Amino acid sequence: MIKIGIVGGTGYTGVELLRLLATHPHAEVLQITSRSEAGRAVSELYGNLRGHFDLDFSEPDPQRLADCDLVFFATPNGTAMQMAPELLTQGVRVIDLAADFRLRDPALWAQWYGMQHACPGLLEEAVYGLPELNRAQIREARLVANPGCYPTAMALGFLPLIEHDLVDRENLVADCKSGVSGAGRAASVGTLMGEVGESFKAYAVDGHRHQPEIRQTLIGVGGQAVGLVFVPHLVPMIRGIHATLYARLVTPASDLQALFESRYVDEPFVDVLPPGSHPETRGVRGVNHCRIALHRPQQGDTAVVLSVIDNLTKGAAGQAIQNMNLMFGMDETCGLEQVALLP
Amino acid sequence: MIKIGIVGGTGYTGVELLRLLATHPHAEVLQITSRSEAGRAVSELYGNLRGHFDLDFSEPDPQRLADCDLVFFATPNGTAMQMAPELLTQGVRVIDLAADFRLRDPALWAQWYGMQHACPGLLEEAVYGLPELNRAQIREARLVANPGCYPTAMALGFLPLIEHDLVDRENLVADCKSGVSGAGRAASVGTLMGEVGESFKAYAVDGHRHQPEIRQTLIGVGGQAVGLVFVPHLVPMIRGIHATLYARLVTPASDLQALFESRYVDEPFVDVLPPGSHPETRGVRGVNHCRIALHRPQQGDTAVVLSVIDNLTKGAAGQAIQNMNLMFGMDETCGLEQVALLP
Amino acid sequence: MIKIGIVGGTGYTGVELLRLLATHPHAEVLQITSRSEAGRAVSELYGNLRGHFDLDFSEPDPQRLADCDLVFFATPNGTAMQMAPELLTQGVRVIDLAADFRLRDPALWAQWYGMQHACPGLLEEAVYGLPELNRAQIREARLVANPGCYPTAMALGFLPLIEHDLVDRENLVADCKSGVSGAGRAASVGTLMGEVGESFKAYAVDGHRHQPEIRQTLIGVGGQAVGLVFVPHLVPMIRGIHATLYARLVTPASDLQALFESRYVDEPFVDVLPPGSHPETRGVRGVNHCRIALHRPQQGDTAVVLSVIDNLTKGAAGQAIQNMNLMFGMDETCGLEQVALLP
Amino acid sequence: MIKIGIVGGTGYTGVELLRLLATHPHAEVLQITSRSEAGRAVSELYGNLRGHFDLDFSEPDPQRLADCDLVFFATPNGTAMQMAPELLTQGVRVIDLAADFRLRDPALWAQWYGMQHACPGLLEEAVYGLPELNRAQIREARLVANPGCYPTAMALGFLPLIEHDLVDRENLVADCKSGVSGAGRAASVGTLMGEVGESFKAYAVDGHRHQPEIRQTLIGVGGQAVGLVFVPHLVPMIRGIHATLYARLVTPASDLQALFESRYVDEPFVDVLPPGSHPETRGVRGVNHCRIALHRPQQGDTAVVLSVIDNLTKGAAGQAIQNMNLMFGMDETCGLEQVALLP
């Protein structure tokens, strides 16, 4: 059994990690930390875990974490970079579900996250944990930066187009929509049901932290500059991301359907739907899959890619476990075979 | 592997059966029938089943059903009673998720369901499939009447009180609330999101078909007449039932908490919460558990029992699989170990 | 024009007051206070008020408030009792939408609200602002205690039964359900959409502050002790209260329908529905009406009263304006003629 | 008083018309037709109208309709074109809320709506009822084609850009999101709450009937060909449309904010928000306003226009009444001064 520690387990990515680990056959959660809830039973805070975990939240204890094989950070941005270096030194592998190790450039990181990076020397080593792109490196990684939710949905939708140089990469548009759990479980007026229920809006149109992240990924793939307009929106539902991606085709129309199917044929968690499909976010609720559909409206020169994930699963905790499986030589789908809850 | 047939699989109980059977280690779905969707892939209608079933809906075919060990009826009321007798004759066991075999009195059945019963002779034999009440008989049953969703939530909340003769059984009140999936997947103005979203109402206050069913159960347990006012309400959510039960205590206050804990200590799917709790329907979303909390407001003589289930799982398909497990000698929890999806 | 001040206008009752006052022909809002939002335009915080108010939030200023004819307190409990005495002295009339003046007994108030009352001498004078009960006194009142949302829905449903001594008043049950706006607009984990969306639960079963309030009302009407079990629940919707009331009939069955119709025939805001009806909360969304339907399931001896209001309108701001209309000699319905938004 | 007839009043645009007409000071509804509900009281079907209308649905009666000054068609596509010619002949003016008179080219209409047009000769005369574009013609019109909901939101967001020739009109993108009431009130599996609640999806990506409509409008304004990719999505909420519009700026960056403010300065129902804003659909719930915000992410050359309306109000019934006001010489805002319901 892999010995697991979770730092900061009271948020939605924390409870999602626990939900998935509860039925994972080769992982055992040794400890889960929370300063605010120390001493409280995990199953008291999260009723869905009753009967699955006999564990209390505890104060972070470096020594006990050092006994783990792997530590997940489900903390706010800026925490993992404080604790990860020592854990790595002690031979513990680390997956950060926050953003501390996602950007390679510490100056860019500081600009978007509003603080200096505490261990810029680790940014080079950290592997961006998108298995569909970096599977080999993840297997060997000590430190994995788990991707953001929006970047996961966008990257899987754009990758085949960029890899094959099929589109005008200067003029990409990503119109993305997320359920409210993406904003986390902190007390906040902005995500009260009275504020976000029965309403829809865009936010952060002038700049969202996931933009430099997806740009870094697309530039890394294509080797060239990328111009991307990314507009996130808030949907009155709890889980799910729907990315609607627009790209101008620059080469004579190739068969996008075949291209995507071929690109993802061996990917256990990317599912290219039949032509004409419209994936629903509920179709991946609680599971680690990304569903993709391809369209060329009116046979024009704009490709429209629809890409859906569950922001807490493939967009966070599920992908983290997929990465864990890779890092520890297990079947990549181990513990991730659930069926989406529908309706 | 138990060979399974499902008759009428296009509704919400059908897809829930398939979701649970997809990961059941000892069951194999041989066929699933639907007249309206015959020929269509199951995974096309229900995107969540993509990759889990390579099966098309088919016309009901008595011969192929006769090859099954067990047939589930997930049909409208009145269908199972037409087909069950022949299947039973051929040695196929049957679980009806509709109401055809729930009431023992054919005249009462005809009164509430508006048609004559097609095989009244089987009503005596049919076992009411509430394992917490009839486990031994279910193990031996050829024909199981899977309980209604409301009656399941009500029965589990009332049973200990009635069994111990603690309350005035002439004046029980059950104020119950259900998500909209309880109304099924048929096209209907009344369950459009535009009609039921962002609103709450009672319905069928003057008489609901689940009332004779729960009365029969409570009378069977207590051996005496029962007076019960049952008021169902519609909640603007998809899954979940919350029963709020009121009963006047007639014996000097016993320890209700201990009583319930003792009654359900060995039940794998009934979870009595600590004193002072308020179970949420989301805590059992997608799982087969019933959660119960006990209150005596202001230390008065009214017991308030809060009982929650997922109407599609413990209230329908999950309980059906629990019954299947019992009927075929498997571990009762086999295939039902999921963790509820939260948030 | 009546000159209006609003103290504490940033919550949901505050914005509802402003929405209704925006189209009231005889009221003018002179100032609206908020310590946290002082200096910010009202229409910036509440987009729905753009074009209707050219007003900023301001620090509370006793002198400017003293220029008003009427001050509404839309503040947390415990604020109005600090400021009301001086305003009254200066001849300003006061309507408190919080609970400071709802209970006549300062000891009971201290017990439920956890603080000593600052001006117990005013409790005697304060008029409980339920026009259907206290219309004459409200007209003359200097100080009105606007009723709580649940007590409004419960009182209007129970009143005719108690006034005519038709029921066993020792054993009343009120199973009530509220949308989440009743919990206010303060940052709180408990009312995040991620926490309350797609779920249903009871809360405060062992004691809610609205219980002593409704008991006081019912005792006042009936002149005798009242035994009431009140269980509130949280519905995943924004607006609306549905009270399901249960009472044992003690006199030979009178015609409840006629009784209620007669009781409320002249009430502009109480609408008794035809026999067999099930009122929906959406039917009163945004309007000041209470809709009531009467049932006697299976012709038994339990009366079931369904009573719905919008918790922010008849349950708070709308009723406050109804009271204002009475206090200033205007038509009681002035400014309250909206049509509910449906769907 | 203007004498009003409504043909086909049982859908959501019908009840919205009635809601708005209930408080309109110069309009009187003489009759409202519905074959399916003939004889039933309007207030029975729509509880929000209790006390506002003493009117029954009736069979369509040409003679009684001929007594009206104005007839609204709130019918499925293809009905108004059967009845409008005779009404016009009899001097009755007509506003069609369906699509029968929106496209000028009968061949294009037949292609998208799947039937031959019954009165192509009227297409030339019909005025497209977007007051912000065609106010003068609407005043004089006998026959107004009320715009579709998506085209209204898109047109108001694109118009200033096209009129001033600021953008590459060959490559416009309109990513639009609608609440479910846009799909109407017909019984349908696809809009059950169990199907669309807690989920998000695109639909009709390969072609939606509102595309030729908006193209016709934009071509009419710009005088040149237009290339537009329009992708509609379904939001799990009841009311509201949010259009996110993307356009490449071709002229050196002008001041978009000033341009839009200037274009709409005299428009009573178009509200250009301050720079940096993100309009919410709830801010216009139940009112006839369109709110627009302008962005240029990262100061790039893509303009992002956010445009929100209530699909039933400015997107249907509210705009129809705005048109009525113009046609009959009343103040354009008459009866449309409501404040949006928030929260």
Side-chain angles (χ1 to χ4, degrees), chain D residues 208-278:
Chain D
H208 185 287
R209 288 167 171 176
H210 285 174
Q211 214 217 19
E213 181 181 337
I214 182 64
R215 286 187 73 248
Q216 172 183 281
T217 299
L218 297 182
I219 291 170
V221 169
Q224 298 176 29
V226 162
L228 168 70
V229 174
F230 161 50
V231 176
H233 301 75
L234 195 60
V235 185
M237 64 182 186
I238 296 175
R239 284 173 178 250
I241 280 182
H242 187 291
T244 313
L245 310 176
Y246 301 86
R248 304 288 307 282
L249 294 161
V250 291
T251 61
S254 51
D255 183 341
L256 295 181
Q257 183 73 27
L259 175 75
F260 273 71
E261 289 181 359
S262 165
R263 172 63 174 83
Y264 291 127
V265 63
D266 291 327
E267 287 298 338
F269 293 116
V270 183
D271 180 11
V272 180
L273 298 179
S277 297
H278 299 94

Side-chain angles (χ1 to χ4, degrees), chain D residues 11-271:
Chain D
Y12 289 142
T13 50
V15 65
E16 184 76 346
L17 273 174
L18 290 170
R19 180 179 74 87
L20 296 170
L21 290 169
T23 56
H24 195 290
H26 304 307
E28 180 187 13
V29 180
L30 290 197
Q31 59 178 307
I32 175 163
T33 80
S34 163
R35 293 187 194 278
S36 59
E37 302 287 348
R40 192 171 173 192
V42 163
S43 62
E44 189 189 324
L45 189 64
Y46 288 117
N48 64 328
L49 300 176
R50 276 179 67 87
H52 296 284
F53 284 99
D54 184 19
L55 201 65
D56 291 352
F57 291 106
S58 61
E59 293 279 345
D61 174 345
Q63 283 194 297
R64 294 184 62 204
L65 290 174
D67 292 339
C68 293
D69 299 308
L70 172 67
V71 169
F72 292 103
F73 282 88
T75 43
N77 298 318
T79 299
M81 68 185 184
Q82 303 294 343
M83 299 174 66
E86 185 175 337
L87 287 170
L88 293 171
T89 301
Q90 292 169 308
V92 182
R93 297 167 90 175
V94 168
I95 298 177
D96 178 26
L97 283 81
D100 292 13
F101 299 101
R102 289 180 191 159
L103 299 184
R104 303 203 148 246
D105 177 351
L108 190 67
W109 194 89
Q111 172 192 332
W112 283 92
Y113 289 91
M115 47 186 149
Q116 291 302 308
H117 203 283
C119 50
L122 283 173
L123 293 178
E124 182 72 19
E125 175 186 350
V127 176
Y128 189 71
L130 189 68
E132 292 77 7
L133 190 61
N134 297 324
R135 183 168 281 111
Q137 300 95 304
I138 294 165
R139 289 192 207 277
E140 308 302 325
R142 292 196 307 161
L143 172 58
V144 165
N146 213 57
C149 50
Y150 284 125
T152 296
M154 288 189 275
L156 295 173
F158 275 134
L159 279 187
L161 299 176
I162 304 291
E163 288 171 344
H164 289 77
D165 207 11
L166 291 181
V167 295
D168 173 6
R169 73 189 67 194
E170 289 290 341
N171 290 297
L172 304 173
V173 170
D175 190 291
C176 297
K177 301 88 176 175
S178 175
V180 298
S181 64
R185 194 174 164 271
S188 154
V189 172
T191 46
L192 295 180
M193 183 158 174
E195 297 296 298
V196 298
E198 280 292 301
S199 192
F200 185 92
K201 66 172 179 181
Y203 65 100
V205 177
D206 294 318
H208 185 287
R209 288 167 171 176
H210 285 174
Q211 214 217 19
E213 181 181 337
I214 182 64
R215 286 187 73 248
Q216 172 183 281
T217 299
L218 297 182
I219 291 170
V221 169
Q224 298 176 29
V226 162
L228 168 70
V229 174
F230 161 50
V231 176
H233 301 75
L234 195 60
V235 185
M237 64 182 186
I238 296 175
R239 284 173 178 250
I241 280 182
H242 187 291
T244 313
L245 310 176
Y246 301 86
R248 304 288 307 282
L249 294 161
V250 291
T251 61
S254 51
D255 183 341
L256 295 181
Q257 183 73 27
L259 175 75
F260 273 71
E261 289 181 359
S262 165
R263 172 63 174 83
Y264 291 127
V265 63
D266 291 327
E267 287 298 338
F269 293 116
V270 183
D271 180 11

Side-chain angles (χ1 to χ4, degrees), chain B residues 1-6 18 21 27-33 53-58 63-71:
Chain B
M1 300 291 274
I2 306 167
K3 290 176 285 179
I4 304 285
I6 301 175
L18 290 170
L21 290 170
E28 179 187 13
V29 179
L30 291 196
Q31 57 178 305
I32 176 161
T33 80
F53 284 99
D54 184 20
L55 202 65
D56 291 351
F57 291 106
S58 61
Q63 284 193 295
R64 295 183 62 204
L65 290 173
D67 292 338
C68 294
D69 299 309
L70 172 67
V71 168

Side-chain angles (χ1 to χ4, degrees), chain A residues 291-309:
Chain A
R291 291 239 168 90
I292 292 177
L294 304 163
H295 293 264
R296 274 182 57 199
Q298 277 89 48
Q299 309 310 318
D301 58 2
T302 300
V304 177
V305 182
L306 312 177
S307 169
V308 305
I309 60 171

